[in-house]
Amino acid sequence: MANYRIAPSILSANFAKLGEEVSAVINSGADFIHFDVMDNHYVPNLTIGPLVCEAIRPVTDAIIDVHLMVEPVDRIVPDFAKAGANIISFHPEATRHIDRTIGLIKEQGCMAGLVFNPATPLNYLDHVLDKLDLVLIMSVNPGFGGQKFIPEALPKLREVRKRIDESGRNILLEIDGGVKVDNIAEIARAGADTFVAGSAIYSAGKDSDPHRYDTIVSALRAELKKV
């Protein structure tokens, strides 16, 4: 079985007890903590900033995977690096100099990712794939949680998987948007190895589970074993 990673998005967590929610999903078998940053400018919503990242950093040793849906990008990158982010990803439309922003993220000691919205072409990868640690394909339009998966993301995943494999580099291929038990296997077959899931995980918590989310994380893993 391939090395798949499940990355719960805390956007769908109970913020009244966020530290507990972060610990619970990791103890339930998740791998990354996905951190959705929206600025009410690049996307039509306002979420969380570096102080929240700093607050959850002592709670877990898991990788904190920060997805910046902000514009401009460069100003806030050092703040998230200082707050404990491990991966910082951004949208090419949100910066004037993509190569420079990638360099800034790496200078801050973080892994760098580039994010592609449903209508964003992949040709940016022609110039920077060799510098990336992660490519994130959005299977919804960014800005809100709980949206339905856009099937057109699947051929996009296949194309990026081909590019990554041909490069010979160890680059994560992440999917974000509408991932759930009944489609995660199909998404994995298209080439994704890292799966962001927000409402699909946090809405499925069970008080009877030892860590609240054991059942749903196990169900996602069971589907991935079928690939």
Side-chain angles (χ1 to χ4, degrees), residues 117-178:
N117 287 332
T120 303
L122 294 174
N123 60 330
Y124 293 104
L125 293 177
D126 296 342
H127 310 283
V128 297
L129 184 63
D130 62 323
K131 299 175 182 177
L132 294 174
D133 302 292
L134 178 145
V135 176
L136 170 53
I137 299 300
M138 294 299 296
S139 41
V140 297
N141 287 294
F144 300 93
Q147 299 182 68
K148 290 185 178 180
F149 183 86
I150 296 175
E152 287 78 14
L154 295 173
K156 212 167 192 179
L157 279 171
R158 294 186 191 101
E159 173 60 25
V160 178
R161 170 50 59 199
K162 182 181 178 212
R163 288 179 181 233
I164 290 173
D165 290 348
E166 289 174 351
S167 77
R169 298 189 69 245
N170 184 22
I171 301 170
L172 301 177
L173 179 50
E174 187 170 52
I175 187 81
D176 183 357

Side-chain angles (χ1 to χ4, degrees), residues 212-225:
R212 187 163 177 76
Y213 301 105
D214 308 72
T215 297
I216 181 61
V217 173
S218 294
L220 292 166
R221 296 267 185 220
E223 288 299 308
L224 289 170
K225 286 181 181 177

Side-chain angles (χ1 to χ4, degrees), residues 22-37:
V22 166
S23 296
V25 288
I26 295 301
N27 290 333
S28 295
D31 302 288
F32 292 178
I33 294 298
H34 191 76
F35 205 93
D36 287 305
V37 184

Side-chain angles (χ1 to χ4, degrees), residues 71-149:
E71 185 180 9
V73 177
D74 292 5
R75 163 62 188 84
I76 205 165
V77 163
D79 294 343
F80 272 101
K82 185 178 178 182
N86 301 103
I87 305 170
I88 299 178
S89 302
F90 67 98
H91 292 253
E93 304 95 335
T95 183
R96 292 192 177 188
H97 304 285
I98 297 168
D99 184 76
R100 180 180 295 165
T101 300
I102 293 170
L104 174 63
I105 292 169
K106 297 206 164 197
E107 286 167 13
Q108 298 295 316
C110 297
M111 292 183 281
L114 198 61
V115 189
F116 292 85
N117 287 332
T120 303
L122 294 174
N123 60 330
Y124 293 104
L125 293 177
D126 296 342
H127 310 283
V128 297
L129 184 63
D130 62 323
K131 299 175 182 177
L132 294 174
D133 302 292
L134 178 145
V135 176
L136 170 53
I137 299 300
M138 294 299 296
S139 41
V140 297
N141 287 294
F144 300 93
Q147 299 182 68
K148 290 185 178 180
F149 183 86

Side-chain angles (χ1 to χ4, degrees), residues 173-227:
L173 179 50
E174 187 170 52
I175 187 81
D176 183 357
V179 176
K180 48 191 178 180
V181 171
D182 64 8
N183 65 9
I184 192 170
E186 181 182 20
I187 296 167
R189 289 187 192 100
D193 54 39
T194 305
F195 306 86
V196 177
S199 55
I201 290 178
Y202 281 106
S203 67
K206 293 184 177 182
D207 292 337
S208 57
D209 279 0
H211 306 106
R212 187 163 177 76
Y213 301 105
D214 308 72
T215 297
I216 181 61
V217 173
S218 294
L220 292 166
R221 296 267 185 220
E223 288 299 308
L224 289 170
K225 286 181 181 177
K226 299 176 182 179
V227 177

